């Protein structure tokens, strides 16, 4: 038996938060370079953070020791909490969504900062978001499957899959949404490019927003909001 409300799961890094700029700032603070956004998007998994052939030797040397990695994470945490920004319109959108009494709104993140849930709440509040309106904000360790997490959230809230939505910028977001019967709102301005999403991952082009304002419009239209 389903409850009458709807559900939207928001992705943090790369979908609502401009994570690339924050990561780039952290690397530069430690005299490292990860290249431009296009090259960053084209790399796979851990290679995003060690750069291409040009940047890899220096970046590897600076990340080999635990002390150096810890220093980088500390810097990234500080940047997220004090400087990182949301993509244009995302703060307004979140605040609009949480005012809907029939809509459950929450976030799942794989953020690698220190105390990631605390970090993200501070970031969102600094950017004018009323995080107290969120129904959940969950940090998911890298070893945990997003699909399992999506399923658990939807079932715990007793939401009909046909009334559930999820946003994301990576393959795991798309797989988790489709695998749990949710409609996926995918974006190509985060960790994956439009080309990779469509050609390598198999995301239908009609599901992808290329700009933040397009994502905002799609969500508002789907939820019959303005």
């Amino acid at each position: 038996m389903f409850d009458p409300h709807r559900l939207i799961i928001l992705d943090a890094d790369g979908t609502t938060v401009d994570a690339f700029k924050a990561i780039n700032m952290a690397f530069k603070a430690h005299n490292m370079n990860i290249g431009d956004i296009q090259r960053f998007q084209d790399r796979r998994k851990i290679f995003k953070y060690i750069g291409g052939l040009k940047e890899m030797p220096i970046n590897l040397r600076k990340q080999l020791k635990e002390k150096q990695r810890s220093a980088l994470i500390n810097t990234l945490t500080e940047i997220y909490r004090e400087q990182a920004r949301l993509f244009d319109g995302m703060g307004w959108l979140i605040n609009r969504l949480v005012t809907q009494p029939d809509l459950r709104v929450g976030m799942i993140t794989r953020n690698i900062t220190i105390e990631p849930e605390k970090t993200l709440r501070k970031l969102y509040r600094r950017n004018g978001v009323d995080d107290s309106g969120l129904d959940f904000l969950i940090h998911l360790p890298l070893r945990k499957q997003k699909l399992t997490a999506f399923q658990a959230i939807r079932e715990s809230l007793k939401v009909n899959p046909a009334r559930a939505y999820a946003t994301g910028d990576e393959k795991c977001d798309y797989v988790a949404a489709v695998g749990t019967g949710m409609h996926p709102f995918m974006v190509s301005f985060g960790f994956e490019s439009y080309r990779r999403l469509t050609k390598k991952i198999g995301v239908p082009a009609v599901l992808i927003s290329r700009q933040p304002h397009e994502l905002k419009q799609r969500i508002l239209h789907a939820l019959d909001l303005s």
Side-chain angles (χ1 to χ4, degrees):
M1 190 70 179
F2 296 122
D3 283 350
H5 49 251
R6 298 172 293 177
L7 166 68
I8 184 165
I9 299 176
L10 300 171
D11 178 57
D13 305 289
T15 303
T16 56
V17 177
D18 191 343
F20 173 77
K21 285 185 180 177
I23 294 168
N24 197 28
M25 288 172 64
F27 269 60
K28 286 183 176 179
H30 290 267
N31 298 313
M32 292 187 288
N33 183 16
I34 55 173
D36 58 33
I37 181 65
Q38 288 77 24
R39 293 172 62 214
F40 178 81
Q41 288 180 326
D42 282 339
R43 298 184 199 118
R44 301 299 87 230
K45 298 182 179 179
I46 191 63
F47 289 99
K48 287 186 181 292
Y49 307 101
I50 59 176
L53 293 176
K54 180 180 178 182
E55 301 89 4
M56 192 180 298
I58 294 176
N59 290 349
L60 277 176
R61 286 199 301 271
K62 289 180 176 289
Q63 295 183 52
L64 285 176
K65 294 182 179 179
E66 184 177 348
K67 184 177 180 180
Q68 293 170 319
R69 290 198 303 273
S70 296
L72 181 60
I73 295 299
N74 285 335
T75 300
L76 183 62
T77 300
E78 182 179 354
I79 288 172
Y80 257 77
R81 294 184 180 185
E82 304 300 333
Q83 299 180 62
R85 308 295 299 177
L86 302 182
F87 287 111
D88 289 345
M90 290 300 103
W92 182 93
L93 175 64
I94 297 169
N95 285 334
R96 180 70 183 87
L97 295 177
V98 299
T99 63
Q100 287 300 115
D102 67 333
L103 180 65
R104 300 293 177 261
V105 184
M107 293 186 183
I108 288 185
T109 178
R110 292 190 187 273
N111 188 281
I112 60 170
T113 60
I114 298 167
E115 296 182 289
E117 292 176 15
K118 177 180 177 180
T119 294
L120 285 174
R121 286 191 182 277
K122 188 166 185 178
L123 186 161
Y124 283 112
R125 289 172 193 158
R126 181 171 49 76
N127 283 274
V129 173
D130 178 16
D131 68 303
S132 66
L134 295 174
D135 291 282
F136 55 88
L137 195 165
I138 300 171
H139 173 250
L140 194 66
L142 293 175
R143 65 181 181 276
K144 297 287 187 179
Q145 293 266 344
K146 272 196 171 182
L147 190 151
T148 303
F150 280 25
Q151 184 78 14
I153 290 169
R154 188 182 61 72
E155 290 180 350
S156 69
L157 294 174
K158 300 179 180 179
V159 176
N160 183 336
R163 292 169 63 82
Y165 309 85
T167 68
D169 62 324
E170 298 183 90
K171 179 179 180 179
C172 60
D173 301 310
Y174 179 68
V175 170
V178 172
T180 52
M182 301 183 189
H183 177 83
F185 291 106
M186 299 299 295
V187 307
S188 61
F189 48 80
F191 280 66
E192 299 281 6
S193 67
Y194 181 84
R195 182 186 62 80
R196 276 200 59 82
L197 287 172
T198 55
K199 303 299 183 183
K200 300 292 185 180
I201 299 172
V203 179
V206 294
L207 297 177
I208 302 172
S209 297
R210 296 197 186 206
Q211 298 294 335
H213 70 85
E214 186 180 351
L215 174 65
K216 182 175 73 171
Q217 291 170 351
R218 284 173 181 256
I219 292 175
L220 293 176
H221 184 265
L223 296 173
D224 197 24
L225 302 175
S226 59

